[in-house]
Structures are given as C-alpha cells and as structure tokens.
Amino acid sequence: MKTSLIISLLIFISCIAAAQQPATTDTTRRKADTLVAAPASQPQPTVKTEPATTSQPRQRRDTRPLIKRFDVDFNTGFWANSTQATGEVMVTVAYKFPKILSIGAGPTYVFSYNRQVDKNLNGWGGKIFTRAQLLKFIYLWTEYQGLSNQYISDFNPVTKSKAYSDSWFWGAGINFFGINLSVMYDILHDSKSAYAGATIYRIGYSF
C-alpha cells in the first residue's frame, strides 16, 4: 500500500514538472524569429538629373546687309503765293531701323524770288528728320531745319538782310517706285522764314 502511494506521488510530481517545462525549441525559435525585426529599408538617394543644355550660337538681331539699312534721297520742294515763289533742293541720308522708323540728316539749299521787289534770296542750312513708314506706301514725317537765310528787311530802299531761321515740319507722304510725294506744315513759320508760306509740297527720289 505504501509502495502504491509512493508510485502515485512520483507520477503526480512528474506531471507537474512536465507542465512547468519551458516551450519547445521550435516554439522558442518561432518566437525569436518573430521578435527579430527585419532591417529597415534604407531610402535610395535621389539623383537630380538636369536637362542637357545645348549652347546655341548667338544670332544677330539685324541680319540685313549694310546696303539695305541706309536710304539716300534727293528731294525738291516748291511753294508759292502772290508775292514770293520758293524752291528747295536737299540730299538726305537715312538709317532704316528693322521695323518702321528711319532717322536721317542732310544739307539744304533754298532759293526764293520776291516778286514785290524783284529780288532773289538764298538760304543754306541743314536738317534732321524722323520718318515712320506706317504702311507700304504711306509714311509720317517730322523734321527740324535750320537755315542761314536772306530776307527783305526794308522796302524803301530795298534792303536784304541775313538771319538764322528755323523750321519744324510735320507732315505725311506716299512713296512708290522710288518717288516720294509729301505735304509739310511748318509750325515755326514767321516773317524771316525762307518759305513763302507755312505749307510746302515736296517731290523726292530715293536711291
């Protein structure tokens, strides 16, 4: 009887001891694998790629040949009233910008005949001007002109004097086949002016 109790006690203790044993090796390995974190993935460095630039040769803005940039004009003007008739001869050289504007200058000779006293009057000088070619055949014109000009200072006796006179013309014209026709108005016209009146008419020829 005592032997049976001892055997039963040993079996009971063995069961308790088995229940207290740690988890099996496979279970432990699985838990360890779970606990071991996978290494964090490192972000790849971003490589900035710049677009390839191709160097282009610098282009000239104005590719016209030199002869196309300049304009040479020969102009004549005329006007008359009841007391005086006047003619004008001038040569101008102008630089033509790529679009519509031109600037130029040139010498001027003015001849006048005073019918009242039967005297010839002369004037020499120069001018500068700007032209705007608005349309193919139509242009606007403004011009400043200075002359050393003769005029009648006294009628009894008839006396010719010389003075500087300036003119500022505004006008418009048409050009076709190298011929220019224009009408100008002198806003500075006075008694010492070389022109018979403030309005003059011109005919020009371009080369």
Side-chain angles (χ1 to χ4, degrees), residues 166-193:
D166 51 1
S167 302
W168 189 4
F169 294 105
W170 290 85
I174 59 175
N175 53 356
F176 53 91
F177 303 110
I179 300 175
N180 306 316
L181 303 175
S182 60
V183 179
M184 303 290 171
Y185 184 81
D186 181 11
I187 64 175
L188 301 181
H189 185 270
D190 59 17
S191 61
K192 295 181 181 180
S193 175

Side-chain angles (χ1 to χ4, degrees), residues 25-66:
T25 305
D26 293 339
T27 303
T28 303
R29 184 179 296 114
R30 284 196 298 270
K31 290 182 178 180
D33 292 341
T34 304
L35 293 175
V36 175
S41 59
Q42 298 293 332
Q44 296 295 327
T46 303
V47 179
K48 294 183 179 181
T49 58
E50 297 182 356
T53 57
T54 57
S55 59
Q56 297 180 352
R58 180 178 296 178
Q59 297 181 352
R60 292 168 55 195
R61 293 184 179 180
D62 191 355
T63 58
R64 298 173 300 165
L66 192 61

Side-chain angles (χ1 to χ4, degrees), residues 2-193:
K2 185 185 285 187
T3 302
S4 299
L5 290 173
I6 292 172
I7 291 172
S8 298
L9 183 58
L10 291 174
I11 292 172
F12 180 75
I13 293 173
S14 299
C15 291
I16 293 175
Q20 297 297 323
Q21 289 293 329
T24 61
T25 305
D26 293 339
T27 303
T28 303
R29 184 179 296 114
R30 284 196 298 270
K31 290 182 178 180
D33 292 341
T34 304
L35 293 175
V36 175
S41 59
Q42 298 293 332
Q44 296 295 327
T46 303
V47 179
K48 294 183 179 181
T49 58
E50 297 182 356
T53 57
T54 57
S55 59
Q56 297 180 352
R58 180 178 296 178
Q59 297 181 352
R60 292 168 55 195
R61 293 184 179 180
D62 191 355
T63 58
R64 298 173 300 165
L66 192 61
I67 194 173
K68 295 292 184 181
R69 303 185 194 184
F70 291 92
D71 190 18
V72 179
D73 291 342
F74 175 77
N75 293 278
T76 59
F78 62 92
W79 53 99
N81 57 19
S82 59
T83 60
Q84 186 173 327
T86 309
E88 176 186 48
V89 178
M90 55 185 161
V91 178
T92 60
V93 179
Y95 178 81
K96 298 185 292 185
F97 291 94
K99 294 186 178 180
I100 65 173
L101 289 180
S102 301
I103 58 173
T108 301
Y109 169 71
V110 178
F111 171 81
S112 297
Y113 172 69
N114 191 304
R115 297 173 181 175
Q116 289 179 307
V117 294
D118 190 25
K119 292 294 182 180
N120 296 327
L121 305 172
N122 299 282
W124 294 90
K127 65 181 63 192
I128 57 175
F129 65 88
T130 300
R131 179 176 59 202
Q133 192 76 36
L134 299 183
L135 299 174
K136 184 176 181 180
F137 300 111
I138 299 175
Y139 63 89
L140 297 180
W141 184 285
T142 182
E143 168 193 315
Y144 175 79
Q145 177 177 269
L147 294 176
S148 176
N149 179 55
Q150 291 180 327
Y151 69 100
I152 303 299
S153 60
D154 196 349
F155 288 90
N156 189 20
V158 176
T159 304
K160 289 196 286 188
S161 299
K162 184 178 292 187
Y164 176 83
S165 65
D166 51 1
S167 302
W168 189 4
F169 294 105
W170 290 85
I174 59 175
N175 53 356
F176 53 91
F177 303 110
I179 300 175
N180 306 316
L181 303 175
S182 60
V183 179
M184 303 290 171
Y185 184 81
D186 181 11
I187 64 175
L188 301 181
H189 185 270
D190 59 17
S191 61
K192 295 181 181 180
S193 175

